[in-house]
mmCIF file of all heavy atoms in Angstrom:
data_model
loop_
_atom_site.group_PDB
_atom_site.id
_atom_site.type_symbol
_atom_site.label_atom_id
_atom_site.label_comp_id
_atom_site.label_asym_id
_atom_site.label_seq_id
_atom_site.Cartn_x
_atom_site.Cartn_y
_atom_site.Cartn_z
ATOM 1 N N GLN A 43 -13.845 8.750 14.379
ATOM 2 C CA GLN A 43 -15.171 8.646 14.992
ATOM 3 C C GLN A 43 -16.191 9.335 14.134
ATOM 4 O O GLN A 43 -16.020 10.438 13.631
ATOM 5 C CB GLN A 43 -15.144 9.274 16.379
ATOM 6 C CG GLN A 43 -16.470 9.147 17.089
ATOM 7 C CD GLN A 43 -16.348 9.257 18.587
ATOM 8 O OE1 GLN A 43 -15.287 9.488 19.135
ATOM 9 N NE2 GLN A 43 -17.501 9.126 19.270
ATOM 10 N N LEU A 44 -17.347 8.676 14.012
ATOM 11 C CA LEU A 44 -18.477 9.281 13.245
ATOM 12 C C LEU A 44 -19.504 9.862 14.207
ATOM 13 O O LEU A 44 -20.041 10.948 13.951
ATOM 14 C CB LEU A 44 -19.161 8.177 12.422
ATOM 15 C CG LEU A 44 -20.417 8.579 11.696
ATOM 16 C CD1 LEU A 44 -20.121 9.612 10.629
ATOM 17 C CD2 LEU A 44 -21.117 7.360 11.111
ATOM 18 N N GLY A 45 -19.778 9.172 15.288
ATOM 19 C CA GLY A 45 -20.760 9.637 16.256
ATOM 20 C C GLY A 45 -20.534 8.853 17.540
ATOM 21 O O GLY A 45 -19.549 8.119 17.628
ATOM 22 N N SER A 46 -21.420 9.014 18.527
ATOM 23 C CA SER A 46 -21.219 8.301 19.805
ATOM 24 C C SER A 46 -21.176 6.803 19.573
ATOM 25 O O SER A 46 -22.131 6.206 19.113
ATOM 26 C CB SER A 46 -22.330 8.690 20.730
ATOM 27 O OG SER A 46 -22.313 7.855 21.849
ATOM 28 N N GLY A 47 -20.013 6.210 19.905
ATOM 29 C CA GLY A 47 -19.872 4.729 19.783
ATOM 30 C C GLY A 47 -19.873 4.247 18.349
ATOM 31 O O GLY A 47 -20.101 3.047 18.111
ATOM 32 N N LEU A 48 -19.638 5.115 17.390
ATOM 33 C CA LEU A 48 -19.624 4.716 15.961
ATOM 34 C C LEU A 48 -18.291 5.125 15.345
ATOM 35 O O LEU A 48 -17.891 6.279 15.465
ATOM 36 C CB LEU A 48 -20.764 5.456 15.210
ATOM 37 C CG LEU A 48 -22.183 5.235 15.770
ATOM 38 C CD1 LEU A 48 -23.156 6.116 15.052
ATOM 39 C CD2 LEU A 48 -22.576 3.751 15.643
ATOM 40 N N PHE A 49 -17.648 4.187 14.671
ATOM 41 C CA PHE A 49 -16.287 4.435 14.163
ATOM 42 C C PHE A 49 -16.133 3.961 12.747
ATOM 43 O O PHE A 49 -16.687 2.885 12.358
ATOM 44 C CB PHE A 49 -15.248 3.783 15.047
ATOM 45 C CG PHE A 49 -15.105 4.421 16.401
ATOM 46 C CD1 PHE A 49 -15.951 4.059 17.434
ATOM 47 C CD2 PHE A 49 -14.214 5.423 16.619
ATOM 48 C CE1 PHE A 49 -15.884 4.669 18.679
ATOM 49 C CE2 PHE A 49 -14.119 6.053 17.849
ATOM 50 C CZ PHE A 49 -14.994 5.693 18.868
ATOM 51 N N THR A 50 -15.358 4.693 11.980
ATOM 52 C CA THR A 50 -14.942 4.245 10.646
ATOM 53 C C THR A 50 -13.538 3.648 10.797
ATOM 54 O O THR A 50 -12.708 4.231 11.471
ATOM 55 C CB THR A 50 -14.870 5.461 9.640
ATOM 56 O OG1 THR A 50 -16.197 5.985 9.522
ATOM 57 C CG2 THR A 50 -14.364 5.041 8.312
ATOM 58 N N TRP A 51 -13.302 2.538 10.151
ATOM 59 C CA TRP A 51 -11.959 1.962 10.085
ATOM 60 C C TRP A 51 -11.330 2.326 8.775
ATOM 61 O O TRP A 51 -11.912 2.076 7.711
ATOM 62 C CB TRP A 51 -12.038 0.428 10.279
ATOM 63 C CG TRP A 51 -12.404 0.070 11.677
ATOM 64 C CD1 TRP A 51 -13.662 0.032 12.211
ATOM 65 C CD2 TRP A 51 -11.500 -0.342 12.695
ATOM 66 N NE1 TRP A 51 -13.592 -0.292 13.552
ATOM 67 C CE2 TRP A 51 -12.280 -0.577 13.880
ATOM 68 C CE3 TRP A 51 -10.120 -0.570 12.788
ATOM 69 C CZ2 TRP A 51 -11.706 -0.984 15.084
ATOM 70 C CZ3 TRP A 51 -9.551 -0.945 13.985
ATOM 71 C CH2 TRP A 51 -10.338 -1.162 15.119
ATOM 72 N N LEU A 52 -10.158 2.956 8.839
ATOM 73 C CA LEU A 52 -9.443 3.417 7.612
ATOM 74 C C LEU A 52 -8.538 2.266 7.161
ATOM 75 O O LEU A 52 -8.478 1.214 7.803
ATOM 76 C CB LEU A 52 -8.625 4.635 8.020
ATOM 77 C CG LEU A 52 -9.499 5.820 8.582
ATOM 78 C CD1 LEU A 52 -8.652 6.980 8.969
ATOM 79 C CD2 LEU A 52 -10.554 6.198 7.578
ATOM 80 N N PRO A 53 -7.878 2.432 5.980
ATOM 81 C CA PRO A 53 -7.133 1.302 5.408
ATOM 82 C C PRO A 53 -6.217 0.561 6.336
ATOM 83 O O PRO A 53 -6.231 -0.661 6.373
ATOM 84 C CB PRO A 53 -6.404 1.951 4.244
ATOM 85 C CG PRO A 53 -7.264 3.103 3.825
ATOM 86 C CD PRO A 53 -7.871 3.627 5.086
ATOM 87 N N LEU A 54 -5.387 1.266 7.139
ATOM 88 C CA LEU A 54 -4.485 0.527 8.017
ATOM 89 C C LEU A 54 -5.304 -0.234 9.071
ATOM 90 O O LEU A 54 -4.939 -1.383 9.440
ATOM 91 C CB LEU A 54 -3.537 1.501 8.756
ATOM 92 C CG LEU A 54 -2.403 2.084 7.975
ATOM 93 C CD1 LEU A 54 -1.545 2.971 8.925
ATOM 94 C CD2 LEU A 54 -1.540 1.033 7.320
#
Side-chain angles (χ1 to χ4, degrees):
Q43 181 158 3
L44 174 67
S46 168
L48 304 174
F49 291 85
T50 297
W51 288 80
L52 302 179
L54 286 183

